[in-house]
Amino acid sequence: MDRQELSDAVWERMAPHLPGKATDPGRTGRDNRLFVEAILWLARSGAHWRVLPKEFGRWHTVYQRFNRWCRSGVWENLFKALSDDADFEYILVDSTIVRAHQHSACPKKSDRSEDRFEAHALGRSKGGLSTKVHAATDALGNPVRFILTGGERNDITQIEPLLQGLKAGHVLADKGYDGQRAMDAIAASGAKPVVPRRTITAKWRSFDATIYKDRNLIERFFSKIKHFRRIATRYDKLARNYAGFLNLVAALKCCL
């Protein structure tokens, strides 16, 4: 099967950050590139694991390896490694709702107990069961951090962990972040807020409308990753596995 997601240049950037290399201790991966291609095929198509094309190997073997990498944080570490060259002139923060497929509900108790992402990562909003992806990107619209919550959670509740440890000149956000909690978190990060005021906001503050135009970059980022059907809809019972797909797709976008 022709590889459709990973060019040689992209793979050269990804490969050093994945386990199973000949220089790593333990067992050497048979074909890391083919395995990552399989996961990207699933992410792009949104297909069930059982219909994975045979050219990628046995679906159950691929699933077990993916699940193991999710549990050990491989995908998260890959994303962090490839997003470490961020442009922090601005930080852009926003969130997007991901509808949960009926198959994603009710994971086994044994799985929930070991899924550190699962707490509050699947909630009931007006549209039904959903997950919300809170994200921070740099000034170029490249992702630097994700947080998963239930779809009913307010955006402003995640502003502190999104900005923690990040330093930038300005933080751009929409009216959903117009509140004292967000203003305090932005000030604590050493940045200036570029957040439009709601009509009910009593306190006046300066607002740079020219800089704010760049906030569409995070909207474009969400649009790009949602071309992958497994990101646009949550099919996975475990939030950590959904986060695995999300981290891999975001890492891919950092390489392009």
Side-chain angles (χ1 to χ4, degrees):
M1 174 175 289
D2 293 336
R3 295 186 172 98
Q4 300 180 10
E5 296 292 348
L6 297 177
S7 66
D8 290 341
V10 169
W11 178 245
E12 286 178 6
R13 291 194 60 188
M14 283 188 173
H17 307 292
L18 298 175
K21 301 182 293 297
T23 55
D24 291 342
R27 187 175 179 181
T28 301
R30 294 184 61 182
D31 191 336
N32 270 0
R33 183 170 181 173
L34 184 63
F35 168 65
V36 175
E37 287 284 359
I39 303 305
L40 286 172
W41 183 91
L42 287 161
R44 177 76 73 179
S45 66
H48 194 281
W49 285 93
R50 291 179 183 272
V51 300
L52 182 70
K54 293 181 179 179
E55 290 84 352
F56 289 120
R58 293 180 64 244
W59 74 266
H60 191 260
T61 301
V62 175
Y63 169 75
Q64 291 293 341
R65 189 176 179 188
F66 172 76
N67 192 43
R68 187 167 62 249
W69 282 23
C70 289
R71 189 184 302 116
S72 60
V74 171
W75 305 115
E76 184 179 4
N77 292 335
L78 173 66
F79 166 64
K80 288 179 179 178
L82 295 178
S83 61
D84 65 350
D85 189 23
D87 180 349
F88 284 123
E89 181 181 1
Y90 312 143
I91 294 175
L92 289 67
V93 296
D94 204 352
S95 71
T96 187
I97 288 283
V98 176
R99 287 291 302 276
H101 192 273
Q102 59 183 353
H103 292 164
S104 68
C106 301
K108 295 183 296 184
K109 288 185 179 180
S110 59
D111 288 331
R112 290 200 300 268
S113 64
E114 65 180 34
D115 185 358
R116 64 189 178 91
F117 290 102
E118 192 56 53
H120 312 300
L122 186 62
R124 186 172 295 277
S125 58
K126 290 182 179 180
L129 288 175
S130 59
T131 289
K132 182 175 281 190
V133 180
H134 304 262
T137 73
D138 68 3
L140 302 178
N142 295 319
V144 293
R145 182 168 291 163
F146 297 107
I147 298 173
L148 299 183
T149 68
E152 80 286 357
R153 295 294 297 276
N154 192 293
D155 291 354
I156 205 171
T157 63
Q158 304 305 310
I159 186 68
E160 294 95 347
L162 277 178
L163 296 180
Q164 185 177 9
L166 301 180
K167 300 294 182 181
H170 298 81
V171 173
L172 283 59
D174 63 19
K175 290 183 180 180
Y177 296 89
D178 179 24
Q180 193 59 47
R181 180 172 182 173
M183 296 304 106
D184 291 344
I186 294 171
S189 73
K192 296 180 179 179
V194 183
V195 182
R197 293 169 57 238
R198 297 177 293 177
T199 56
I200 62 173
T201 301
K203 186 176 181 180
W204 182 89
R205 66 172 179 274
S206 61
F207 172 70
D208 193 324
T210 300
I211 294 178
Y212 186 72
K213 291 179 181 179
D214 287 337
R215 200 193 69 83
N216 72 88
L217 290 172
I218 195 169
E219 301 286 356
R220 294 183 191 179
F221 166 70
F222 283 136
S223 177
K224 289 176 181 177
I225 64 173
K226 284 189 172 183
H227 289 171
F228 291 79
R229 294 186 64 192
R230 215 173 185 103
I231 304 301
T233 301
R234 177 174 165 177
Y235 296 100
D236 300 277
K237 290 181 183 293
L238 296 181
R240 72 154 185 253
N241 287 7
Y242 176 77
F245 281 108
L246 180 61
N247 279 303
L248 174 57
V249 170
L252 176 65
K253 294 305 179 184
C254 289
C255 294
L256 300 179

